[in-house]
Amino acid sequence: MKALVLAGGRGIRLRPLSHTMPKQVIPVGNRPLLFYGLEAIRQAGVAEAVVVVDARDGSVRRAVGDGGRFGLRVSYVAQDAPLGTAHAVLAARDHLGDADFVLFPGDRMVFGGIGDLVEAYRADRPHALRLTGARSPGGEPADTGVCVLSPVVHQAVRSIGPDWSNRREIGSALRWLREHGHVVRDHVSAGQWEDGGVLEGLLAANRAVLSARRAEVRGMVDTDSELVGQVVVEEGGSVERSRVVGPALIGPDAVVRDSVVGPYTSVGADCVVDGASVGDSILMEGAELRDLRGVRGSVIGRNASVGPAVPGGRGHRLVVGDHAVVTVEVPGHGG
């Protein structure tokens, strides 16, 4: 069995972040989102993955490499344009051969993995087995986009036409299989899953990853600071005159000074949080947050600088792309 990993989409739902980086390498818990899917694939016993990427961007290739760090053999298929999940299957036909394969969108996180899905497929041998599950505890089952497919799907994706937007989607191929007498089943996962291709799903995935980390301090925390609960301070990170409430992660060489951080906040490598308060947020590598209080539910891109026009204020919600500089005017201060 192989895996086909979809990492070539344009990430329209995460703009402006995805203007300058594929959504699959946006960090969750300070690691690219895609890494969690690759680990789940290997843990399910699959050793070979074909990754579909955007021909114009090398970020995924650089991040994943040959797959050795995940115990995978990884090859790549480049697409000039994302024309749907079934089109990706068409593009990867030569790499997949006649093997069964897991179709895994690179912006999905399935907590608990996909081992039960793969085992169920091998036990029953349907032509297609689709994973459904609740996105959050108590939610209604929904299609995760993950499925295991037999080689007969290649006939299906060749037979369906593009939709009104010129895309070929795997859902249409599954309908074709049913209509032509093939067995398509759903497998309900008890575990949580998140769609990291949207802001709320990205933040929810970050919460879940941080919640699974144990407290660990390998950096510097001064005596005027307080760490509460599951806080990780990585090597080179420093916390000065600050309060960090876990689950929270302070990355390598990041500086937190005179601030309040957490819970559910990941601060990336080389970030600076100075005179600020932030919670339930993702700060990517090199981001700066200064003199701004009440930042919540936010994603701040690589090397972005965020601060008020005049120090003070509260209740800001930010989705900031890479290398941006944002100033926030605070009511009651200045003209």
Side-chain angles (χ1 to χ4, degrees):
M1 183 177 290
K2 299 181 181 182
L4 179 61
V5 182
L6 309 180
R10 298 284 170 80
I12 293 173
R13 298 175 298 168
L14 277 178
R15 289 179 179 172
L17 296 169
S18 56
H19 277 309
T20 52
M21 65 190 304
K23 59 184 176 179
Q24 295 84 6
V25 298
I26 292 176
V28 169
N30 286 357
R31 300 177 70 223
L33 175 62
L34 177 61
F35 285 13
Y36 298 96
L38 294 175
E39 289 171 347
I41 287 165
R42 187 66 189 97
Q43 289 164 6
V46 178
E48 184 174 349
V50 181
V51 182
V52 179
V53 296
D54 185 341
R56 305 171 307 165
D57 189 285
S59 301
V60 171
R61 290 179 188 258
R62 289 192 295 270
V64 175
D66 64 4
R69 75 174 75 180
F70 309 101
L72 291 168
R73 298 187 304 276
V74 171
S75 59
Y76 295 92
V77 173
Q79 282 186 310
D80 292 327
L83 297 176
T85 51
H87 184 268
V89 175
L90 277 173
R93 177 68 179 91
D94 290 343
H95 291 256
L96 295 169
D98 292 326
D100 299 331
F101 64 96
V102 178
L103 180 67
F104 197 103
D107 58 2
R108 297 295 190 272
M109 286 193 66
V110 181
F111 303 98
I114 60 170
D116 58 339
L117 173 71
V118 172
E119 289 177 8
Y121 177 85
R122 286 174 169 157
D124 294 340
R125 303 296 303 176
H127 296 103
L129 186 62
R130 182 173 58 178
L131 183 67
T132 62
R135 187 168 299 178
S136 57
E140 291 295 322
D143 183 7
T144 66
V146 181
C147 51
V148 186
L149 302 166
S150 69
V152 72
V153 76
H154 296 297
Q155 181 182 0
V157 297
R158 288 194 305 268
S159 300
I160 63 173
D163 62 16
W164 62 271
S165 61
N166 199 35
R167 294 172 63 88
R168 287 177 168 87
E169 301 294 354
I170 203 65
S172 298
L174 296 183
R175 284 192 295 274
W176 187 95
L177 289 175
R178 287 194 183 97
E179 291 167 359
H180 289 79
H182 298 286
V183 178
V184 178
R185 293 178 181 159
D186 287 343
H187 177 79
V188 180
S189 172
Q192 179 185 348
W193 70 281
E194 294 295 343
D195 178 359
V198 296
L199 176 62
E200 293 305 331
L202 193 68
L203 291 172
N206 195 59
R207 292 182 208 115
V209 168
L210 296 184
S211 295
R213 295 284 301 265
R214 294 183 177 180
E216 181 182 15
V217 177
R218 290 184 286 146
M220 188 279 291
V221 179
D222 70 9
T223 57
D224 294 323
S225 296
E226 180 185 16
L227 306 185
V228 181
Q230 298 163 248
V231 176
V232 176
V233 182
E234 296 189 333
E235 187 172 352
S238 65
V239 180
E240 307 168 19
R241 301 181 301 278
S242 297
R243 188 170 192 262
V244 183
V245 181
L249 172 60
I250 311 301
D253 300 314
V255 176
V256 176
R257 181 186 301 119
D258 299 319
S259 296
V260 177
V261 173
Y264 304 116
T265 298
S266 57
V267 178
D270 298 309
C271 286
V272 175
V273 181
D274 192 348
S277 67
V278 56
D280 191 23
S281 295
I282 296 171
L283 278 66
M284 297 190 201
E285 181 179 357
E288 295 187 2
L289 178 62
R290 298 180 184 271
D291 300 316
L292 194 62
R293 302 285 173 174
V295 176
R296 298 289 182 272
S298 302
V299 180
I300 301 176
R302 296 172 298 187
N303 300 306
S305 178
V306 180
V310 177
R314 62 182 181 179
H316 306 283
R317 179 178 174 86
L318 309 168
V319 182
V320 182
D322 300 345
H323 300 284
V325 177
V326 177
T327 58
V328 180
E329 185 172 347
V330 179
H333 295 269

